Amino acid sequence: MSLQSLDLRKTGQFPLFLLDYLDGKTELKEFYSIYPTLENAKEAILQKKDFDPEKRKTLVDVLTSQYKGLPGLPDFSVLLDENTFTVTTGHQLNIFTGPLYVIYKIVTTINLAQALKKAYPEYNFVPVYWMASEDHDFEEIASFHLFGQTHRWAGAHKGAVGRLDPRELESIIKQLPSKPLLFAKAYLENSTLADAARCYMHELFGQYGLISVDADHPELKRHFLPVIKDELTQSSAEKQFTETAAKLEKLGYDPGLHVREINLFYLDTNLRERIVKEDGIYKVLNTELTFTEEEILDLAEKSPEMFSPNVILRPLYEEIILPNLAYIGGPSELPYWMSLKGIFDYHNVPYPMLIPRNFAMYVTNEQVKKAKKLKADWEELFKDEFSLRRNYVLQNTENKLSLQSQKDAFRTIMDEVVAQAVQVDPTMKGAVEAEHARLCNSLQKLEKRIIKAEERNQESNISQLLNLKNKLFPGRSAQERYDNFLNFYINDPEFIQKLFKAFDPLDFRYNILLEE
């Protein structure tokens, strides 16, 4: 497999916020802590050097319990060492891993841990997959695309998705053209979706040291209790976020998040609903549950696991319970993390390095051959269909299609006519200019017809080119955001190993992976 790389800006796929961050734009420096480089990682290590040993012990105890029964367990005890740190990515528990970029996130994280170990051999670095087990948006995780077909988990489900029963997915497993045993085992032999995700992630990536963390646990939540109480009584996150968001908006950036007065959910069986405060009384939306301040603080003290952070506080929770140096995220995640730095500062929690995951398009051998035959340019394929068609025609024609020289000649002639006419009657200038505009418009229409005629001459190649684009951008979306990794893994068991070799976690360009 060979690799070509594109500047992210040339793809037209990424928000300005992310691009300016990666370019090190001065105005954004107050919204993050450490720019991501191997050299700067030493500063992140020093920031996290005094991570609470009690939190390390809790983390090891919880992981030991959660991984019970799985083969080839990681050595969790390394996390007790003050010289051990994590690098983390997170995502929802999409069925069958969801879109391809979830795998890219994991590979980037593992590669980063290995790169850090090589640069700082005196320390240990553990790659972590943070499972968004408390998320309650079932629709977002309930489908995936495989070989042009969409598979969907049917039914209505409420509450934290990590607690759902994955055995309901048996009907989908039976529909798959090639039965992936790792998913059959994970989904049919576990009683919760979180346990199932841990199972298949361990089988796919356990050999590389990946640890999957399910933070929906009472002992982990107990370390988050001070934030829970502060949020219930002080609403400090709203104040900090609002101040930061105002600064970002003044610079022309959209934080992409909406803050609440209380950024916590009430979590129970089949229930995850917002907590609101009205006239001094705490209420759980869409339920009859109400609490006084004393009652809800008492509940938090006794059962912190019943409080679930929303997107505003989830990153803070992660950094409180993990000895974490870096968060690896997507093009929308990193900008919203940067809107949260004020919240981290308020709670005196070290802010991690923010690193974009690797971005990639995987091109099969057949598609590589087709592109070579058509002399297709990879950068061009990111353009819209109209531009792709037009540029291809102009680059591959043997005919002269532009009438620009004729337009320039008309301009020269009409300048002479204007000069001659105004000598006779100055009021004629407008009439001559209007005639020039009419003639230019006619030439423009003729040029479009000439190009259109040439498009018809090249229709066969254009049709093949657009077909190639549609395969690489299925559903008019980036391949990595649409296709499932099984599209490649089923036919090539070495697919993931190829990704490990191709990706550089600190090369912030778009990867074109060419199978040859």
Side-chain angles (χ1 to χ4, degrees):
M1 185 174 65
S2 61
L3 171 68
Q4 291 189 21
S5 299
L6 294 178
D7 186 292
L8 295 185
R9 290 182 184 272
K10 292 183 178 180
T11 69
Q13 302 271 313
F14 298 93
L16 181 63
F17 200 159
L18 175 67
L19 298 173
D20 286 349
Y21 164 62
L22 295 178
D23 285 347
K25 193 169 183 180
T26 304
E27 292 86 343
L28 287 176
K29 288 187 176 180
E30 69 172 288
F31 303 103
Y32 62 92
S33 178
I34 303 168
Y35 188 82
T37 67
L38 280 178
E39 294 74 20
N40 291 349
K42 187 58 180 289
E43 185 179 346
I45 291 171
L46 294 176
Q47 280 190 359
K48 212 75 172 184
K49 197 73 171 66
D50 296 325
F51 189 76
D52 187 352
E54 191 60 34
K55 292 179 180 178
R56 289 183 180 274
K57 184 179 184 305
T58 300
L59 181 62
V60 170
D61 289 345
V62 169
L63 288 170
T64 301
S65 172
Q66 292 181 343
Y67 268 78
K68 187 177 181 180
L70 288 179
L73 294 184
D75 179 13
F76 298 124
S77 66
V78 71
L79 288 163
L80 297 173
D81 189 336
E82 65 176 8
N83 290 320
T84 296
F85 304 94
T86 62
V87 290
T88 302
T89 192
H91 201 74
Q92 295 163 297
L93 302 183
N94 298 70
I95 61 172
F96 298 83
T97 76
L100 186 57
Y101 71 80
V102 175
I103 299 298
Y104 293 171
K105 277 185 166 184
I106 302 293
V107 172
T108 306
T109 304
I110 293 171
N111 276 351
L112 178 63
Q114 293 176 350
L116 287 169
K117 181 62 177 177
K118 186 175 181 180
Y120 303 97
E122 67 273 29
Y123 298 103
N124 304 307
F125 304 93
V126 178
V128 168
Y129 167 46
W130 178 282
M131 300 189 292
S133 55
E134 295 179 39
D135 187 87
H136 64 273
D137 195 336
F138 175 75
E139 286 302 313
E140 286 197 6
I141 69 156
S143 65
F144 71 104
H145 307 288
L146 179 62
F147 299 137
Q149 184 177 357
T150 299
H151 297 274
R152 188 173 300 278
W153 187 352
H157 298 78
K158 295 182 178 181
V161 296
R163 302 180 180 186
L164 298 180
D165 189 345
R167 290 167 291 196
E168 296 179 17
L169 295 166
E170 182 175 9
S171 60
I172 293 181
I173 293 173
K174 291 180 178 179
Q175 296 171 27
L176 300 184
S178 176
K179 306 296 185 296
L181 296 180
L182 77 157
F183 288 114
K185 177 183 177 182
Y187 287 138
L188 303 183
E189 296 181 10
N190 287 284
S191 59
T192 70
L193 191 61
D195 288 343
R198 181 186 304 105
C199 179
Y200 67 67
M201 282 296 183
H202 181 60
E203 185 163 342
L204 287 171
F205 298 107
Q207 60 185 305
Y208 303 103
L210 182 75
I211 290 176
S212 298
V213 173
D214 178 7
D216 182 9
H217 193 282
E219 294 309 310
L220 294 175
K221 285 286 177 68
R222 188 154 297 283
H223 290 299
F224 192 56
L225 183 57
V227 176
I228 294 174
K229 290 182 175 180
D230 178 88
E231 186 66 12
L232 290 170
T233 58
Q234 304 300 319
S235 296
S236 58
E238 181 183 32
K239 179 178 182 296
Q240 299 300 326
F241 177 86
T242 301
E243 290 179 0
T244 303
K247 292 179 182 178
L248 288 170
E249 288 167 0
K250 189 174 181 180
L251 292 171
Y253 302 107
D254 179 7
L257 292 179
H258 180 68
V259 71
R260 307 282 186 183
E261 179 185 4
I262 297 176
N263 294 280
L264 295 168
F265 289 93
Y266 181 90
L267 185 63
D268 205 349
T269 305
N270 298 321
L271 178 67
R272 188 178 187 246
E273 292 286 351
R274 280 177 51 212
I275 299 171
V276 298
K277 187 177 182 181
E278 297 176 357
D279 300 323
I281 298 297
Y282 295 84
K283 300 179 179 180
V284 179
L285 292 183
N286 301 312
T287 75
E288 300 297 320
L289 294 170
T290 61
F291 304 89
T292 64
E293 180 175 299
E294 182 181 358
E295 288 170 337
I296 202 165
L297 290 177
D298 183 61
L299 178 64
E301 185 68 43
K302 292 177 179 177
S303 303
E305 70 274 13
M306 300 190 74
F307 296 83
S308 175
N310 72 357
V311 68
I312 297 288
L313 290 180
R314 193 276 303 164
L316 182 68
Y317 179 34
E318 171 189 302
E319 296 302 312
I320 283 176
I321 66 174
L322 294 177
N324 198 50
L325 303 181
Y327 183 79
I328 293 85
S332 298
E333 283 180 286
L334 297 196
Y336 86 62
W337 268 76
M338 290 172 69
S339 68
L340 305 177
K341 188 172 183 297
I343 299 175
F344 278 76
D345 293 343
Y346 172 83
H347 287 284
N348 295 312
V349 175
Y351 191 79
M353 292 192 297
L354 299 180
I355 301 178
R357 65 170 174 82
N358 284 121
F359 307 103
M361 180 169 68
Y362 194 90
V363 188
T364 66
N365 184 262
E366 179 184 346
Q367 292 165 341
V368 170
K369 291 179 179 178
K370 177 65 68 176
K372 287 182 177 179
K373 177 185 174 183
L374 295 170
K375 298 179 182 178
D377 180 87
W378 300 114
E379 185 179 326
E380 284 289 317
L381 285 169
F382 283 86
K383 298 186 185 304
D384 62 85
E385 186 174 310
F386 175 82
S387 299
L388 179 62
R389 176 191 289 268
R390 180 58 52 89
N391 291 348
Y392 184 83
V393 168
L394 295 177
Q395 292 166 8
N396 291 278
T397 184
E398 296 179 355
N399 301 305
K400 187 176 181 180
L401 307 180
S402 173
L403 295 180
Q404 189 58 49
S405 60
Q406 290 85 346
K407 296 175 189 176
D408 292 340
F410 265 116
R411 176 74 266 177
T412 300
I413 292 171
M414 294 310 294
D415 285 345
E416 294 174 357
V417 172
V418 168
Q420 184 174 333
V422 296
Q423 287 182 351
V424 178
D425 182 356
T427 64
M428 291 184 65
K429 182 178 180 180
V432 177
E433 291 288 359
E435 187 63 20
H436 177 230
R438 185 184 68 80
L439 290 170
C440 284
N441 187 51
S442 296
L443 283 176
Q444 187 71 21
K445 290 180 178 179
L446 284 172
E447 184 179 75
K448 289 181 178 179
R449 290 183 64 182
I450 292 171
I451 294 174
K452 200 70 178 176
E454 181 62 16
E455 283 187 18
R456 290 193 293 271
N457 293 337
Q458 299 187 38
E459 189 57 43
S460 176
N461 281 354
I462 291 173
S463 178
Q464 293 178 58
L465 181 66
L466 294 179
N467 183 55
L468 176 63
K469 177 179 172 63
N470 289 335
K471 287 183 177 179
L472 294 175
F473 294 84
R476 298 183 179 274
S477 176
Q479 177 197 68
E480 60 176 25
R481 306 194 69 82
Y482 187 91
D483 280 340
N484 181 270
F485 92 106
L486 289 174
N487 282 272
F488 308 97
Y489 184 76
I490 285 177
N491 296 321
D492 182 7
E494 299 297 311
F495 175 70
I496 290 177
Q497 283 70 33
K498 290 178 179 179
L499 297 180
F500 277 116
K501 292 179 181 179
F503 286 169
D504 179 343
L506 293 170
D507 184 346
F508 308 137
R509 293 180 294 174
Y510 203 101
N511 299 288
I512 310 295
L513 308 176
L514 306 174
E515 184 184 83
E516 293 178 323

